[in-house]
Amino acid sequence: SATYWAVSNYNLDMLEEMKTAALLQKVATMDPEMLSAEEAFEMGTINGAKAFFLGCGEIKEGAWADMILVDLNHLRLVPNHSLIPNLVYSSHGSAVHTTICDGQVLMHNGVVDDEEEVKAEASRMAQALLDKLGPQ
C-alpha cells in the first residue's frame, strides 16, 4: 500500500500510517479506546478520499479501480481473528500482495514491474517539485 507522496515523515506505507494515527491518539488523550482500528482504517480509505473529493475509497461502480489485495495467510496476519485491527496494527504493507491503481496492476506478488524506472521517475518528479519550490 502507498501514499502518493512522503510529505512529512518519508513513509509510504498507508497501513503503518493508520497504526501511527491510532496509537498517537491513544497516547495524546490517555484513552486506549480513542481512534479504533476501524476508525483509523476508514480515515485512510473512504474518509481520506472524501476529504480530497476524490470519489473513491470504496469498491463500487463508477469509483476508481484503486485497491490492494492482501495475503491473509501472511505471518503478520496469523491468527486472523479480526481483519481490520490485524491490518492496522500488525501487517504494515508487508502483507500487501498486489496493488492496483486505476485498473492497472502496479505490483503483483510483492514485485513491482520496472521498479528501477519507477524509482527514477519518482526521483525526477521530486526534484522538479523542489526546483519549483525554490531554495529551502
Side-chain angles (χ1 to χ4, degrees), residues 4 19 33 49 86 91 93 100 110 114 116 124 130 133:
Y4 290 108
K19 175 182 179 178
E33 295 184 13
N86 267 10
S91 71
I100 303 168
D114 304 321
E116 292 305 316
R124 282 192 295 275
L130 290 173
L133 293 174

Side-chain angles (χ1 to χ4, degrees), residues 49-94:
K50 285 178 184 176
F52 289 101
F53 306 101
L54 296 177
C56 61
E58 59 185 332
I59 299 173
K60 69 177 185 178
E61 187 175 338
W64 288 357
D66 290 4
M67 67 185 78
I68 59 171
L69 305 179
V70 177
D71 178 1
L72 297 179
N73 290 315
H74 190 280
L75 181 61
R76 287 184 174 258
L77 295 177
V78 175
N80 188 356
H81 298 292
S82 188
L83 178 60
I84 298 301
N86 267 10
L87 284 172
V88 171
Y89 292 120
S90 300
S91 71
H92 307 287
S94 62

Side-chain angles (χ1 to χ4, degrees), residues 77-134:
L77 295 177
V78 175
N80 188 356
H81 298 292
S82 188
L83 178 60
I84 298 301
N86 267 10
L87 284 172
V88 171
Y89 292 120
S90 300
S91 71
H92 307 287
S94 62
V96 175
H97 179 278
T98 300
T99 301
I100 303 168
C101 292
D102 199 21
Q104 295 184 347
V105 176
L106 300 182
M107 180 181 76
H108 179 69
N109 199 25
V111 177
V112 176
D113 288 339
D114 304 321
E115 184 174 330
E116 292 305 316
E117 182 181 326
V118 170
K119 290 191 300 189
E121 179 65 14
S123 294
R124 282 192 295 275
M125 292 175 74
Q127 188 59 55
L129 179 60
L130 290 173
D131 292 345
K132 286 182 181 182
L133 293 174

